[in-house]
Amino acid sequence: MIIYGDAQSGNCYKIKLLASLLDIDYAWKEVDILSGGTHTAEFLARNPNGKIPLLELDDGRCLAESNAILNYLARGTPLLPTDPYEGALVLQWQFFEQYSHEPYIAVARFINKYLGMPEERRDEYHAKQVGGHRALAVMEVQLRDTPFIAGQAITIADISLYAYTHVAHEGGFDLSAYPAIVDWLGRVSSQPRHVPMG
Amino acid sequence: MIIYGDAQSGNCYKIKLLASLLDIDYAWKEVDILSGGTHTAEFLARNPNGKIPLLELDDGRCLAESNAILNYLARGTPLLPTDPYEGALVLQWQFFEQYSHEPYIAVARFINKYLGMPEERRDEYHAKQVGGHRALAVMEVQLRDTPFIAGQAITIADISLYAYTHVAHEGGFDLSAYPAIVDWLGRVSSQPRHVPMG
């Protein structure tokens, strides 16, 4: 199988981290977003939405959306509970990540780190801080109660949220106000076969 | 089970529509977002993220995020394929809906229909049109190939995307440029036990 991704993208890192934790073999094809690599005719034929990461199976079928890929690859492993409610709770946190967390924390990081904070996006950057802190506060409440985001054991929901939370400082977020999140980041990064981003 | 929702919200309508298609019994508790119903202490105890819809099971456990709720309720029914790749494709389209569709089409509708297009959100409304049309174009490409969004049969991914697409005109989107979407809306609305929004 092939993963099309950008090594600096948190959404792509989710797949790289899961594949390492589960010791899954894959080929990585680097795609440069900033130079238009997701909008070539060849790439759009695989994903009409023009986004990475993208998984291509050996038979040529493709799957987009980082969290859908995590669910596909983790099926049947301890990282994805088989209990219906527990599995749905994993999805709850993954949809939270894509709607209430990533659009603030990842986008603030993108504006700051990749675009170099251009003047015309400074207001947007500041607006993103509010939503980002709101998401972090929700995570903090949960992680005061349970060691991992969906309960007692690590799941792919932790991988989803770890991806951009562990680099939130690159988007201007100071995590020292969130001690339960800081402890949780340590629990995720100390998993056997953990790999860093990049 | 109890569904906390707002009858005018597309995210809440997803659950109402699925429950009707599957003939699932539930109690509906109306929550008014505009008057702060999702931010009372009582509601936040059930969902710290302060959003509807919210599912409360008979044993008191709660589940948030519309698409997570759909996956939970549809498990074991024809609306959620058991094949791993097909199930992941359903998730792909649901994550697409929450990241690339809802933030544009639902938010434009909200600004126009619920807020009455206040002057200070007019620029945002116009910016939302671009992303909304981009999402509709991706759906159109898929629906030219397959009768339903994830393939040959209706799934919960269709319910997810139907919710805000069928009222996209309330957000200023003219669907006549998307004939495959218009045909698909008709296929979804003619399902046995289909119920309208509201």
Side-chain angles (χ1 to χ4, degrees):
Chain A
M1 77 188 208
I2 302 167
I3 309 286
Y4 296 83
D6 176 324
Q8 297 304 318
S9 149
N11 282 324
C12 298
Y13 171 55
K14 294 174 191 173
I15 318 301
K16 178 184 164 181
L17 177 53
L18 178 76
S20 181
L21 294 180
L22 294 178
D23 202 8
I24 295 173
D25 237 13
Y26 64 96
W28 181 274
K29 284 206 184 166
E30 188 74 12
V31 178
D32 184 3
I33 314 171
L34 292 176
S35 71
T38 50
H39 287 84
T40 63
E42 200 190 340
F43 189 85
L44 289 171
R46 291 185 167 86
N47 181 10
N49 199 27
K51 289 189 193 296
I52 47 173
L54 180 72
L55 172 69
E56 183 176 332
L57 301 177
D58 292 342
D59 63 10
R61 289 183 300 176
C62 288
L63 184 65
E65 299 292 335
S66 60
N67 292 319
I69 297 170
L70 291 186
N71 275 274
Y72 178 74
L73 295 177
R75 205 172 156 126
T77 79
L79 293 174
L80 181 53
T82 51
D83 173 78
Y85 178 77
E86 288 177 19
L89 217 47
V90 166
L91 288 177
Q92 173 198 290
W93 284 107
Q94 291 182 315
F95 283 108
F96 164 85
E97 189 264 335
Q98 283 290 285
Y99 195 85
S100 301
H101 183 287
E102 203 266 14
Y104 302 98
I105 294 175
V107 175
R109 173 177 177 259
F110 184 79
I111 294 170
N112 183 43
K113 181 169 172 158
Y114 294 92
L115 303 183
M117 189 78 89
E119 193 51 41
E120 72 274 16
R121 295 194 70 172
R122 201 169 281 268
D123 285 353
E124 185 189 353
Y125 173 84
H126 289 296
K128 294 295 182 190
Q129 301 296 311
V130 181
H133 281 292
R134 206 184 300 131
L136 293 169
V138 171
M139 290 175 67
E140 181 74 9
V141 166
Q142 181 62 46
L143 291 167
R144 268 187 228 135
D145 267 4
T146 55
F148 294 98
I149 201 73
Q152 296 303 314
I154 187 169
T155 67
I156 50 173
D158 295 290
I159 294 175
S160 298
L161 282 161
Y162 179 83
Y164 285 108
T165 307
H166 91 292
V167 290
H169 57 279
E170 297 176 350
F173 297 93
D174 178 2
L175 294 184
S176 63
Y178 305 100
I181 291 181
V182 172
D183 286 352
W184 164 80
L185 288 175
R187 280 190 289 277
V188 176
S189 66
S190 62
Q191 296 294 310
R193 302 188 56 88
H194 179 273
V195 284
M197 190 158 154
Chain B
M1 75 189 208
I2 301 167
I3 309 286
Y4 296 83
D6 175 324
Q8 297 304 318
S9 148
N11 282 325
C12 298
Y13 171 54
K14 294 173 190 174
I15 318 300
K16 178 184 165 181
L17 177 53
L18 178 76
S20 181
L21 294 179
L22 294 179
D23 202 6
I24 295 172
D25 237 14
Y26 64 96
W28 180 274
K29 283 206 183 167
E30 187 73 12
V31 178
D32 184 4
I33 313 170
L34 292 176
S35 72
T38 50
H39 286 84
T40 63
E42 200 190 340
F43 189 85
L44 288 172
R46 291 184 168 86
N47 181 10
N49 199 27
K51 290 190 192 298
I52 48 173
L54 180 72
L55 172 69
E56 184 175 330
L57 302 177
D58 292 342
D59 62 10
R61 288 183 299 175
C62 289
L63 184 65
E65 299 292 335
S66 58
N67 292 318
I69 297 171
L70 292 185
N71 276 274
Y72 179 75
L73 295 177
R75 204 172 157 128
T77 79
L79 293 174
L80 181 52
T82 51
D83 172 78
Y85 178 76
E86 287 176 21
L89 217 47
V90 166
L91 288 177
Q92 172 196 291
W93 283 107
Q94 292 183 314
F95 282 108
F96 165 84
E97 189 264 334
Q98 283 288 286
Y99 195 85
S100 300
H101 183 288
E102 204 265 14
Y104 302 99
I105 294 175
V107 175
R109 173 177 177 259
F110 185 79
I111 294 170
N112 182 44
K113 181 170 172 158
Y114 293 92
L115 303 184
M117 190 79 91
E119 193 51 43
E120 72 274 16
R121 294 194 70 171
R122 202 169 279 268
D123 284 353
E124 184 189 354
Y125 173 84
H126 288 297
K128 295 294 181 189
Q129 301 296 313
V130 181
H133 281 291
R134 205 184 300 132
L136 293 168
V138 171
M139 291 175 67
E140 181 75 9
V141 166
Q142 180 62 46
L143 291 167
R144 268 188 227 134
D145 267 4
T146 55
F148 293 98
I149 201 73
Q152 296 303 314
I154 187 169
T155 67
I156 50 173
D158 295 290
I159 294 175
S160 299
L161 282 161
Y162 179 83
Y164 285 108
T165 307
H166 89 291
V167 290
H169 58 279
E170 297 177 351
F173 297 93
D174 178 2
L175 294 184
S176 64
Y178 306 98
I181 291 181
V182 172
D183 286 352
W184 163 79
L185 288 174
R187 280 190 289 277
V188 176
S189 66
S190 62
Q191 295 294 309
R193 302 189 55 89
H194 179 272
V195 285
M197 191 157 154

